[in-house]
Amino acid sequence: MSAVLPTSHTDHHDHHGHDDHHHETPTGWRRWVYATNHKDIGTLYMLFSFAMLMVGGILALLIRAELFQPGLQLVNPELFNQLTTMHGLIMVFGAIMPAFVGFANWMIPLQIGASDMAFARMNNFSFWLLIPAGLMLVGSFFMPGGAPAAGWTLYAPLTLQMGPSMDAGIFAMHIMGASSIMGAINIIVTILNMRAPGMTLMKMPMFCWTWLITAYLLIAVMPVLAGAITMTLTDRHFGTSFFNPAGGGDPVMYQHIFWFFGHPEVYIMILPAFGIVSQVIPTFARKRLFGYASMVYATSAIAILSFIVWAHHMFTTGMPVTGQLFFMYATMLIAVPTAVKIFNWIATMWRGSMTFETPMLFAVGFVFVFTLGGFTGLIPAVAPIDTQIQDTYYIVAHFHYVLVAGSLFALFSGYYFWAPKWTGVMYNETRGKIHFWWSLISFNVTFFPMHFLGLAGMPRRYADYPMQFADFNMVASVGAFFFGFAQVYFFLFIVVPTMRGKGEKAPQRPWEGAEGLEWEVPSPAPFHTYENPPKLDATATRVIG
């Protein structure tokens, strides 16, 4: 999802008096394999995430093709369960998370005036760990018994009964978790130690703030997931009984541990999206972000509260009423800081002189559809209602509204917003707008009917269904194929031409109203940007001299 930098721009008006090797841009395969430059690593992350998005998307389309009409058409129920499991794992750990880490690598040093990320070689290592992990996940389809089929949440006791691919899946998730933790450490140290003089924390761009908080979340919860899947592994091979009832274990304990990771994980996938949207909306509204400090505090509040809401995923496990009440109220409480953010975005747009270039279209589309997804999430927060819609297509609709129209639309917005700075050329605005409307309409055609399917009682992860669910399933499947083709269109007609440098040359500040250090360097951004820390003005958004 990113662009390859041309290698001509290696100098900048701030550079002087450094060793010659600083100005050499490596070429050929060594540039990418041994990459320590934050821009190259950011590019690698995004290309990897887009490849995984395509793989996960193909699995999703196989699921929707099977559900196009009642009866078993294409796949047997075992393979169907493998598809739903692997679609979830690949999209969460292979597509969305690496894409945001790619954005962080590209933009954080540019936004805070740092020369690079703090630990350049660790940065390289954390990316290259993803390749074997991704191959192992995808390759599990070809192992005896096929891919894991326990759902992306990997609930026991199903995980204890899977074939060898389960072990490969566990190993892949360990590797991806290690990559995430290293990336998070790098981001925290870079932001805390490498800001240009004069850039205080409360003058940082919102994208840096959201990533700083996200990185702390990653360090807090990835080891929890590692613990849960390691216990699963020892149950499978080493005679323990953590989750095996036959030996006195408790499958529900796995759910508690998993969701203690899983709910902060949801915010790991959305907080950087909030950061991107908080950069895009003020630019195209030509106003400063409304309530900057309250945005920072709201982001922090979301991160803290995300640790005390996990069991709202478990209302139907026989939880005592006291527990249900606590998690009900905590879930409703976390809606408050999220609402603060939405209010601030709308207040930023209010009476601004707005224009609707593609980045702004995706940002406004994000606010609209994400808000809808947030409201549909408040409904299952009420335990008696959740009992009715637990594990139905209503839940599928809700979290796709938050993660596809949330995370993915924000990633598209960020791509269109910063790609001119990455590539040095402007994307085709007409094609960008086609991509937006095509995606928005087909997304809603796909996922809106699922709310009705769920309310009518259609359970998720089933390969077959009775006749009364046929019409909405057909509509959803058609929408899904249109949505998938929209992303192929995006890559072939928008990303590839800009990567190859085709298009009109991008000015240094392509968007009128864009503020921040990244717009103070030429387009494309030089291979080595700030060899000496830039001198900032009082707002920490401009370079002096």
Side-chain angles (χ1 to χ4, degrees):
M1 282 171 66
S2 175
V4 178
L5 274 172
T7 54
S8 55
H9 270 288
T10 54
D11 215 339
H12 181 229
H13 55 267
D14 280 341
H15 301 175
H16 50 77
H18 268 267
D19 298 338
D20 283 346
H21 69 261
H22 274 297
H23 296 281
E24 289 172 14
T25 305
T27 53
W29 61 270
R30 282 185 179 79
R31 171 179 178 181
W32 301 104
V33 174
Y34 300 138
T36 51
N37 184 284
H38 70 98
K39 303 179 181 77
D40 284 354
I41 293 172
T43 299
L44 287 169
Y45 264 109
M46 288 189 223
L47 290 171
F48 171 81
S49 86
F50 194 83
M52 288 309 240
L53 184 77
M54 290 293 102
V55 173
I58 289 165
L59 303 184
L61 294 184
L62 285 170
I63 293 168
R64 284 317 318 171
E66 175 55 57
L67 294 173
F68 183 70
Q69 58 190 47
L72 293 176
Q73 273 72 243
L74 300 172
V75 299
N76 60 30
E78 290 78 19
L79 180 55
F80 186 86
N81 288 349
Q82 294 171 28
L83 293 174
T84 53
T85 302
M86 298 309 291
H87 164 70
L89 289 174
I90 287 169
M91 287 302 202
V92 169
F93 295 103
I96 300 292
M97 288 171 71
F100 281 128
V101 178
F103 271 80
N105 265 295
W106 246 106
M107 296 316 303
I108 287 173
L110 284 181
Q111 290 190 326
I112 64 173
S115 57
D116 206 302
M117 296 296 278
F119 305 116
R121 292 188 197 284
M122 186 166 87
N123 206 11
N124 174 286
F125 187 46
S126 66
F127 169 74
W128 285 109
L129 281 177
L130 289 178
I131 303 294
L135 290 172
M136 213 179 309
L137 265 185
V138 178
S140 65
F141 276 105
F142 306 103
M143 293 180 180
W152 83 273
T153 49
L154 303 176
Y155 274 6
L158 283 173
T159 45
L160 309 181
Q161 301 158 8
M162 293 283 131
S165 65
M166 192 69 231
D167 303 319
I170 288 172
F171 191 34
M173 307 228 337
H174 270 302
I175 297 172
M176 285 177 159
S179 165
S180 293
I181 290 170
M182 284 193 281
I185 291 169
N186 219 339
I187 287 164
I188 290 170
V189 176
T190 304
I191 290 175
L192 294 186
N193 289 356
M194 298 179 68
R195 300 190 308 283
M199 179 170 285
T200 61
L201 282 174
M202 291 309 278
K203 286 181 180 170
M204 280 199 313
M206 268 313 295
F207 180 68
C208 297
W209 256 117
T210 53
W211 244 117
L212 178 64
I213 292 165
T214 302
Y216 277 111
L217 279 181
L218 275 167
I219 289 173
V221 302
M222 291 314 287
V224 178
L225 174 67
I229 58 180
T230 304
M231 286 190 263
T232 302
L233 195 70
T234 61
D235 275 10
R236 286 170 54 82
H237 297 294
F238 301 108
T240 58
S241 293
F242 292 111
F243 311 131
N244 185 356
D250 183 4
V252 176
M253 181 172 80
Y254 175 86
Q255 297 188 27
H256 279 291
I257 301 169
F258 179 87
W259 286 116
F260 189 78
F261 147 81
H263 207 83
E265 165 68 19
V266 172
Y267 293 100
I268 286 165
M269 290 188 285
I270 201 67
L271 290 182
F274 291 167
I276 292 173
V277 170
S278 301
Q279 303 285 140
V280 172
I281 287 177
T283 300
F284 294 96
R286 288 157 184 80
K287 283 171 64 185
R288 302 301 290 273
L289 179 67
F290 180 88
Y292 172 91
S294 65
M295 285 293 243
V296 172
Y297 298 137
T299 310
S300 310
I302 288 171
I304 293 160
L305 289 172
S306 72
F307 284 99
I308 60 163
V309 297
W310 79 88
H312 67 203
H313 298 268
M314 300 170 54
F315 282 149
T316 54
T317 55
M319 191 187 300
V321 174
T322 319
Q324 290 188 355
L325 284 171
F326 172 82
F327 287 106
M328 231 166 90
Y329 297 146
T331 305
M332 293 185 174
L333 192 61
I334 205 168
V336 175
T338 314
V340 168
K341 288 178 161 297
I342 291 164
F343 175 84
N344 285 8
W345 291 323
I346 293 169
T348 305
M349 292 187 269
W350 178 252
R351 303 189 73 172
S353 53
M354 290 208 290
T355 52
F356 291 96
E357 288 88 346
T358 312
M360 185 61 161
L361 283 176
F362 269 107
V364 174
F366 165 91
V367 173
F368 172 69
V369 193
F370 175 80
T371 306
L372 204 62
F375 277 123
T376 59
L378 273 174
I379 293 166
V382 183
I385 302 177
D386 182 79
T387 307
Q388 296 297 311
I389 56 179
Q390 169 82 14
D391 266 334
T392 68
Y393 264 77
Y394 183 92
I395 304 298
V396 178
H398 155 65
F399 73 71
H400 281 87
Y401 262 80
V402 176
L403 283 181
V404 181
S407 303
L408 196 62
F409 277 23
L411 285 163
F412 288 143
S413 176
Y415 176 82
Y416 286 110
F417 187 53
W418 283 311
K421 183 57 64 186
W422 300 341
T423 60
V425 296
M426 297 299 290
Y427 63 88
N428 183 308
E429 188 64 55
T430 308
R431 289 178 183 174
K433 287 184 167 141
I434 290 170
H435 175 225
F436 168 72
W437 288 109
W438 188 353
S439 295
L440 183 76
I441 293 166
S442 58
F443 167 80
N444 281 290
V445 169
T446 305
F447 293 105
F448 203 76
M450 292 187 190
H451 292 102
F452 304 123
L453 286 169
L455 291 169
M458 179 173 167
R460 63 178 178 168
R461 300 180 184 168
Y462 276 40
D464 194 7
Y465 53 87
M467 200 64 212
Q468 71 257 34
F469 300 135
D471 294 347
F472 277 146
N473 267 301
M474 187 177 285
V475 170
S477 291
V478 170
F481 276 87
F482 275 100
F483 185 76
F485 290 131
Q487 308 334 313
V488 176
Y489 171 86
F490 164 70
F491 189 73
L492 293 180
F493 294 99
I494 294 157
V495 177
V496 171
T498 54
M499 283 171 74
R500 296 173 67 185
K502 293 187 174 170
E504 60 180 88
K505 187 166 177 359
Q508 177 174 311
R509 194 182 297 268
W511 314 116
E512 180 200 343
E515 283 198 339
L517 296 190
E518 69 262 42
W519 309 112
E520 300 286 310
V521 300
S523 301
F527 192 70
H528 296 289
T529 318
Y530 305 107
E531 296 195 354
N532 301 313
K535 295 181 175 63
L536 308 184
D537 67 358
T539 62
T541 58
R542 299 245 170 176
V543 176
I544 303 168

